[in-house]
Amino acid sequence: MRFVYCYSMRDDPDAVGEVAPKHAAYWRELGLAEYIGGPFADRSGGLISFEAPAEGPAGQLVSNDPFQRAGLINDWWLKVWMPQ
């Protein structure tokens, strides 16, 4: 299943800058099939798309995101995506 994880960041540039390298490394090092992700141009948040077997495992990946663990996410959603 293909998932999209979209999130908006808290307005705390220093904390976000400190955690951003850990966030990027976390997602890269998972080695997920078809992973693609990155920040929005204005750095207000980002979008990640990846493959996972089901919503439960996908949600666990999101829960372990360093931005989530540091409390830097304002709002987020995780959806199954069906690109054509």
Side-chain angles (χ1 to χ4, degrees), residues 35-74:
Y35 164 81
I36 187 168
F40 299 133
D42 65 1
R43 302 291 181 168
S44 64
L47 185 136
I48 295 173
S49 181
F50 60 93
E51 295 278 335
E55 192 167 344
Q60 189 62 46
L61 294 173
V62 168
S63 294
N64 289 327
D65 181 329
F67 280 156
Q68 291 275 4
R69 296 175 65 105
L72 294 172
I73 303 290
N74 270 336

Side-chain angles (χ1 to χ4, degrees), residues 1-4 32 50-62 78-80:
M1 298 175 82
R2 181 159 252 341
F3 290 87
V4 174
L32 298 169
F50 60 93
E51 295 278 335
E55 192 167 344
Q60 189 62 46
L61 294 173
V62 168
L78 178 67
K79 297 276 188 181
V80 175

